[in-house]
Every structure is written in C-alpha cells, then in structure tokens.
Amino acid sequence: MSGREAILGKVRTALKAKAGDTVRLAAVNERMAKSAPGIIPARGQLPAKERIDLFCAQAVKLFASVERLASADAVPAAVAGYLRQKNLPQSVRMGDDPRLSDLPWSQEGALEVRHGPSDGNDEVGVSHAFGGVAETGTVVMVSGADNPTTINFLPEHHIVVIDATSIQGDLETAIAGIRARFGKGEMPRTVNLISGPSRSGDIEQKLILGAHGPRALHLIVVGG
Amino acid sequence: MQITSPAFKQNAKGALADVQLQQALGNVRSGFIDKRLKAVEALPEFEALRDSARAIKDHALANLDLYLEAYEKKVVASGGHVHWAESAEDARNIILDICRKANAKTVTKGKSMITEEIALNDFLEEKGIRPVETDLGEYIIQLRHEHPSHIIAPAVHVTQSQVEADFRRVHTHLDAARDLREPEALLNEARKVLREEYFAADVGITGANFLIAETGTSIIVTNEGNGDLTQILPKMHIAVASIEKIVPTLEDASQILRVLARSATGQDMSVYTTMSTGPRREGDVDGPGEYHVVLLDNGRSSMLGTEFQEMLRCIRCGACMNHCPVYHAVGGHAYGWVYPGPMGAVLTPSLIGVDKAGHLPNASTFCGRCESVCPMKIPLPKMMRHWREREFERGLNPAAARSGLKFWAFFARRPALYQAMTAIGMPLLSLLGGKSHRFGWLPLAGGWTRHRELPAPQGKTFMQQVRSARSAGAR
C-alpha cells in the first residue's frame, strides 16, 4: 500500500468517513468555490484617500520609507534622488515590467538601468507592486519576468513602485484581485507579501534590520 | 535527535542551576508577553478572529481527507510533485531520493520544526549531503550542535557573547581581530557567510505554515527573508509539511495569519509571507525548476477522532510557551524533544508515546495562561489532564504516586469517612504548624519544603466552614 492510500485510509477511519461520500465532498467543493472572506477588521475599511494615508503610515511603522508622487513620470528622478541621498552608486536592477521600463529613465543621464533577475551583485532593485494592503502596510509582489522574485530579496535596497489605486483595505481584497487576474483556483508561481525591510530578533530578542533580505525598503506611491 | 523527555526531571534540575540559561530565559519572560499584548489590544476584532480561525481549522480537520486530495490535485496541475510520508523514516528517505536525483551536495534550509521532528539534518549528513540552516537562530544552534529550545526563537537559550564565541570558533577564514561586540556585527557576519551558501545550494528545503487546498499553494512566514532565498535560488524547492497544515482557501489562511503573527511576535504581519505554487513557469527568469511537497503524517492521523484532535489546530506561534511559568523556569531543552512548553506537553506524548513523555503533561501548574493566549483556543490544560489519566490507566506513574492516589481515592469515595478523618487531621496539623502556621519540613515532601515553607491548615475543614457559614446565614 502506498503512503498516500495508507494516510488517507487512516484519516478516513479516524473521521468515520467513507471514500466517495458525496455530501461531504459537495460541502468541501462549495467552500472552495465560494472562497468567502471571514472577519475583516474595520481598520483598513476607509475611503480612498484615508486608505492610502493608512497604507503609508503603517509602512513607516514597519521601518519602510515612503515617498509620494503625483505622476509615474517622476519615478526615475525620485529613484536617482534616493540613490544620491543614501550615497549609493547610480545603478539599479529591474525586470521587464512596462510600467517601469516605459518611464523616462534617460532623463537621469547618470543612472544605469540593468534588466533581468538579480544575481546578488546589485545594490539596488526596483520592482512594481501588484497591489498593497492598507491594514498592515504590506506590498503584494507577483513573480514573473516583469518583476523577478530575486529582486525582492537579493539587493541591499529594494525600491517598490506602487499605484495608489491598487492599494486595498485588506488582504482579502488583494487576494480577490490576484484571483481576478490569474483565474479561480490559479496562482502565479510566487506571491510575496512584504511588510517592511528584512529583520531578525534571534540574538537576545534585539530587533535588527537587514537580516537576509533587503536592509531598506523604499516605497514610491504614485497618484492618490 | 536523541529523545531525553524521560529524563525531564533531571533536565529541569540542570536547567534551573544553569546561570547562563537563566540569564537568556529572562528575555522570554519580558519580551514576548508585552509585544503580544500591545498587538492584540490594537485590534478590536482579535477575539472574533480567534473564533474564526478555530472554526476554519475544525472544518478542515473534519474533512482532512478531501482537502488533502483537492490540494494534491492542484499541486500536480501546477507542475509540482506531492509525496506522502507515513513516518519520519519515510519522509527522510523521500527527501534523500529527491536530493540524490538532483545530485545535491549542499542543501539550504529555512526554519522548519517538521524537519527537526524527522531529524533530517543528521540523516542527510550521514548520507554525505551538507545541510545548512539559514534562519539566524537555527544557524547559531547548528554551529553549536544543539536543537531548538523554542519553536519560533530556536536560539533563545543562547546569549550574545556565546554567539560571538561560536562565530569566532567556526568562521576561521575571517579576520581574527574583527569587532563583534554589537549584535549588528554578528548578524552582518551571518548574512555574508550564508549568502554564499544560498548560491552554492542545489536544493532548498522549507517547512510550510499553510497548505491551500483551493490552489495547491504552500505558504511560509518569515522575518529574515531566509526562507525565500532558500526556495528561489537553488534548482529545486522541497516543502515539508504535516498533513494538518491544510486550510481550504487563501481567505482562510488570511484569517489565521492575523492571529499568528500577533500571537507569536506581536507583529501585525510577519515581514515576509510567501505563497508558492509549483515550479518555475514558462517565461520566468528565476525560481526553482522543480517543486516538491512532502506530506508527513507521523502520528497525526491517530490523534484525529480522539480527545487530542484539537491539538491539530496548533499553528506553532509559541504563545503558550512564552506565557508558561514552567517554560520560563526550565527553558525548552528540558522537555527533551522538538516541541517544548504546553503545546509540547500535549503533542509530544501523542507523537513519541506517553511512556516516554509522561513527565511533560505532569509538569504543569494548570494556571491556564497557555489556553487563554492560544490563538486557536486549544484547551491545553484539559488535554494535559487527559494524558495524566492515560498515564495512570496504563500504570506508568511510580508506585508511590499510584498508592498515594489510591489511598486518597479510598477516602474521597467515602465522604462521611473523609470528613471525619479531616475533622481530626486539620486541627492536629494546625497545632503542629506552631506559631508561624508554616511547615519548614514535612515527611515525603522534602522536594517542596527545600525551597519554600508549606502553610499549615488554619483549624477547620472546608466542609465545616461551609456548614457554619450556612447556619450563620440561616440565623
């Protein structure tokens, strides 16, 4: 008997359930089909403007830095400014997301833009978020050639550009957005929910930023 | 890993006398409790979310077979592989097989209690594969050849100066004159050393906090980002998870995530919550080429349908041990296996047998703090009592304890006799208690009176007091 049959058999015996019980199966399938949200905290349920403000405030509490721009065209100048302010070389790594690559990077003459996944030799990575969650100040990142997952973790500094309109009140609404894009029951390979820069408390419970992932997370909120 | 749970009493004695350990445990007593309370108080819906989380897991457990099948189907559809392991040995062999097919020499690991449970590291090393723990706490204890003493803060028993000494001992390729006095310097050193390991690894192994039946997704929750580098850089990702990690939908996981981080570290969300579904897709430029899930039973199916089923709701937040006076006193290693504290006192006898782990459910004052903070509302003290009953039924307690209990039970079943005897005994003990009304020494209770005095009875029995209060009330 295979491990699979043995385990399922033991589970069914313990639950006094029979294989092929259509009543239970219908209940289970219905629950997965509905994917109903449960209790949604009131904290994030706000009108657009307050929701975006809450997102920014929550992110700052998590030691991310936040910059707000009226238009995406100003992103390259903001990135170059961030690099100057942090005394970093004028060089960034990003994927092929047209929401990033179509921006006027050439206006920042000194700024080198490299495309593709990170190999660990990048000081700064730039990604575009799929969305955000105001309740917790979380950015939602979706994998793919547009925004390779390695850029979320290997560079020392991670700059995330996010459309203010994609910031939701709660994680459930963000999940519904992923489902609407990728289809019911389907998921992109990796979804990273990121809430602040990497940290560890493993040495005597002291909080230190910059464990294995980025030491700094800089959010550029566009619009709103 | 060597199970030392049968020697709990000796372990505890050693722990109480260990000055360095007691210093380190001070961090548990102060840190976790306040952080959790602040986070909980800031969320008015917390109590309602606890009920919601409990209902989700109860539903998932009642239909575990169906959700496991649905989950498997989705993993396969997304290009992943599912392996079913009845026992720890099966899981080890399955993982070894996968690693050998990948010609793996180095394996990086995210923090996973399940891989501690199946003693994976020792096994891989025996077979010539080098496991490298990447969570800072796990890395520290791997260097020390120790085991986790806490399920979310595995190196909580280690002091900063011990970490410095370990890094100097092991990282001999680095400048001996380097400054490691600050914890930041220690973290930076670990970051640098482990970066190379992520790139050298052929296989990355993580655990899973949730498995999503709806989508075939595994979810891990970390603060360091080590679990992510472990799974995206090597050519293969193996997620090892026990069968009760399953929940129906992403929304269900979202409900439980809200109580998990708050209960564990007092965060609203952990820094990284990562949802992984299958291997690298067409057009992907990074990510693992293969994605495997090892589903482990190892005794959990035997808990279903018993008085211990509710333990399978546990989401491994660690709140019960953070609030446990026994854990605060002796730390995690005294419990003698992977799972310490109240959740360990219930789970360990289920997984390794009450004959080996009987001391664990006995080491409780039944103060109830564990149950009051458990985000999944697991009745931990009640289940420890169930283990004590089973231990007694199977005759596992020492003869003196058994005959003592029998002696007491003889009178307890005869109320008239019991009251008559206590009516004689109480005044006598009161008299023997002397002016201080305390005993500094008692026969058969030397262990108690060595450290404190026992208050003497004040003269009347409980029943006598009730009777006189009633007659006073009647007047």
Side-chain angles (χ1 to χ4, degrees):
Chain A
M1 188 161 50
S2 75
R4 181 182 189 279
E5 296 320 311
I7 292 172
L8 288 174
K10 278 197 266 185
V11 169
R12 285 197 182 104
T13 307
L15 294 174
K16 300 187 176 63
K18 287 192 187 73
D21 178 343
T22 49
V23 178
R24 283 171 74 237
L25 187 62
V28 159
N29 284 337
E30 193 194 332
R31 179 162 182 133
M32 287 191 288
K34 268 194 188 158
S35 50
I39 289 161
I40 308 296
R43 185 195 286 174
Q45 307 305 302
L46 298 166
K49 188 185 169 302
E50 286 84 350
R51 190 167 68 228
I52 297 159
D53 290 345
L54 175 67
F55 170 81
C56 297
Q58 292 290 67
V60 168
K61 269 196 215 166
L62 302 171
F63 308 106
S65 50
V66 179
E67 186 173 356
R68 297 181 68 165
L69 299 178
S71 144
D73 286 345
V75 166
V79 168
Y82 177 85
L83 300 181
R84 275 193 301 275
Q85 188 210 331
K86 300 281 176 189
N87 237 345
L88 294 162
Q90 289 283 322
S91 171
V92 295
R93 163 76 61 185
M94 66 179 71
D96 297 331
D97 195 324
R99 290 172 298 180
L100 293 175
S101 44
D102 290 354
L103 298 176
W105 297 100
S106 55
Q107 286 174 9
E108 300 302 318
L111 182 60
E112 179 199 14
V113 178
R114 288 173 292 169
H115 290 272
S118 179
D119 61 0
N121 294 312
D122 306 299
E123 285 266 8
V124 183
V126 181
S127 310
H128 202 293
F130 177 86
V133 179
E135 185 185 325
T136 50
T138 302
V139 287
V140 181
M141 313 300 295
V142 165
S143 66
D146 283 359
N147 291 288
T149 308
T150 39
I151 294 181
N152 297 343
F153 294 97
L154 286 170
E156 302 273 302
H157 295 254
H158 189 206
I159 300 176
V160 176
V161 181
I162 177 166
D163 284 331
T165 52
S166 72
I167 295 170
Q168 313 295 346
D170 50 85
L171 179 56
E172 281 77 354
T173 310
I175 288 168
I178 294 173
R179 201 175 273 129
R181 169 80 63 87
F182 293 88
K184 171 69 189 166
E186 304 302 317
M187 283 285 279
R189 190 201 80 231
T190 307
V191 175
N192 295 117
L193 307 177
I194 301 179
S195 312
S198 148
R199 66 199 62 188
S200 175
D202 273 342
I203 299 172
E204 295 193 1
Q205 306 293 298
K206 292 169 192 153
L207 178 72
I208 313 168
L209 295 183
H212 295 284
R215 297 173 192 277
L217 177 68
H218 185 62
L219 307 180
I220 299 180
V221 180
V222 177
Chain B
M1 121 179 227
Q2 172 116 28
I3 297 172
T4 67
S5 306
F8 176 80
K9 287 185 180 179
Q10 292 92 302
N11 295 350
K13 256 183 211 159
L16 286 167
D18 184 334
V19 177
Q20 209 142 29
L21 174 67
Q22 291 300 321
Q23 186 200 328
L25 283 172
N27 295 320
V28 180
R29 292 175 205 133
S30 57
F32 285 115
I33 295 177
D34 296 344
K35 282 188 237 165
R36 175 195 167 274
L37 192 63
K38 255 191 202 157
V40 166
E41 284 178 345
L43 188 73
E45 295 87 353
F46 187 79
E47 274 309 304
L49 282 161
R50 280 175 84 189
D51 289 329
S52 174
R54 176 174 64 175
I56 289 165
K57 277 282 195 176
D58 281 346
H59 168 80
L61 290 171
N63 297 285
L64 187 58
D65 52 330
L66 300 174
Y67 281 119
L68 284 168
E69 286 176 316
Y71 168 78
E72 178 189 39
K73 209 186 262 180
K74 292 302 293 189
V75 175
V76 172
S78 63
H81 304 271
V82 179
H83 310 265
W84 302 70
E86 267 190 278
S87 65
E89 189 190 354
D90 290 353
R92 287 192 296 263
N93 287 326
I94 289 166
I95 295 166
L96 178 65
D97 255 14
I98 303 171
C99 290
R100 283 206 169 137
K101 276 183 196 142
N103 281 321
K105 293 185 178 59
T106 302
V107 169
T108 41
K109 287 186 65 212
K111 192 172 89 63
S112 151
M113 285 300 110
I114 289 290
T115 61
E116 297 285 347
E117 181 182 324
I118 64 173
L120 183 62
N121 286 4
D122 290 348
F123 177 76
L124 289 178
E125 262 174 67
E126 260 170 48
K127 305 291 177 187
I129 296 170
R130 191 172 65 98
V132 181
E133 294 288 350
T134 61
D135 170 82
L136 178 60
E138 288 280 349
Y139 179 66
I140 290 167
I141 59 169
Q142 189 182 27
L143 296 185
R144 298 170 62 80
H145 305 288
E146 289 181 339
H147 296 287
S149 67
H150 189 290
I151 58 172
I152 66 157
V156 78
H157 61 285
V158 185
T159 61
Q160 186 182 322
S161 54
Q162 288 176 309
V163 178
E164 179 180 347
D166 290 323
F167 279 17
R168 289 196 188 282
R169 173 174 58 79
V170 178
H171 302 155
T172 47
H173 61 294
L174 299 174
D175 179 9
R178 68 194 186 281
D179 187 351
L180 288 178
R181 279 171 301 179
E182 294 302 319
E184 286 80 2
L186 294 168
L187 179 63
N188 277 339
E189 183 162 313
R191 178 184 170 107
K192 211 157 73 189
V193 170
L194 286 168
R195 263 299 159 99
E196 286 167 29
E197 301 287 12
Y198 292 122
F199 284 100
D202 308 289
V203 174
I205 299 178
T206 68
N209 293 85
F210 303 96
L211 304 173
I212 313 293
E214 174 201 6
T215 55
T217 300
S218 59
I219 297 184
I220 61 165
V221 172
T222 75
N223 279 316
E224 298 183 1
N226 63 307
D228 289 283
L229 290 172
T230 295
Q231 64 173 270
I232 55 176
L233 293 176
K235 53 188 181 240
M236 195 179 278
H237 174 201
I238 306 175
V240 191
S242 47
I243 51 176
E244 84 282 9
K245 296 286 173 206
I246 211 142
V247 294
T249 65
L250 292 164
E251 280 77 1
D252 291 324
S254 179
Q255 291 284 289
I256 303 175
L257 280 168
R258 284 200 182 85
V259 294
L260 172 59
R262 286 182 174 88
S263 302
T265 51
Q267 292 169 286
D268 288 359
M269 280 277 274
S270 301
V271 175
Y272 300 111
T273 300
T274 297
M275 305 175 165
S276 309
T277 314
R280 190 185 278 229
R281 307 275 169 88
E282 206 183 318
D284 271 358
V285 291
D286 53 20
E290 282 185 39
Y291 173 79
H292 296 263
V293 182
V294 179
L295 291 175
L296 177 73
D297 181 348
N298 206 28
R300 282 152 182 90
S301 58
S302 322
M303 295 166 71
L304 278 175
T306 73
E307 64 264 57
F308 301 109
Q309 172 164 329
E310 289 181 277
M311 189 61 218
L312 297 173
R313 286 204 299 265
C314 178
I315 52 173
R316 307 289 191 266
C317 69
C320 59
M321 57 198 75
N322 292 343
H323 291 75
C324 176
V326 178
Y327 182 92
H328 287 175
V330 300
H333 284 158
Y335 291 81
W337 198 51
V338 185
Y339 303 107
M343 58 80 68
V346 174
L347 189 60
T348 304
S350 297
L351 300 185
I352 67 172
V354 71
D355 51 330
K356 291 199 190 82
H359 290 314
L360 274 47
N362 286 333
S364 168
T365 64
F366 284 166
C367 72
R369 278 170 94 187
C370 50
E371 184 177 356
S372 73
V373 297
C374 173
M376 307 306 287
K377 295 199 168 177
I378 300 170
L380 291 156
K382 187 181 91 180
M383 286 191 278
M384 284 185 240
R385 264 204 307 278
H386 287 318
W387 276 125
R388 291 184 187 187
E389 285 156 18
R390 288 214 183 173
E391 198 188 14
F392 189 82
E393 281 161 14
R394 290 177 54 184
L396 295 171
N397 339 51
R402 295 183 67 77
S403 45
L405 267 175
K406 274 192 188 142
F407 180 73
W408 175 80
F410 175 83
F411 290 100
R413 278 198 295 259
R414 293 164 178 80
L417 184 60
Y418 188 97
Q419 286 177 38
M421 293 297 285
T422 49
I424 300 167
M426 289 304 119
L428 192 65
L429 285 171
S430 176
L431 204 66
L432 288 172
K435 270 190 199 150
S436 67
H437 279 289
R438 288 181 173 278
F439 295 110
W441 176 85
L442 275 176
L444 303 174
W448 170 279
T449 50
R450 192 175 311 135
H451 299 289
R452 52 237 191 270
E453 294 178 320
L454 185 75
Q458 297 296 305
K460 279 189 174 170
T461 70
F462 177 73
M463 294 301 285
Q464 285 169 336
Q465 289 182 50
V466 170
R467 242 175 266 133
S468 59
R470 277 201 183 144
S471 56
R475 271 202 302 273

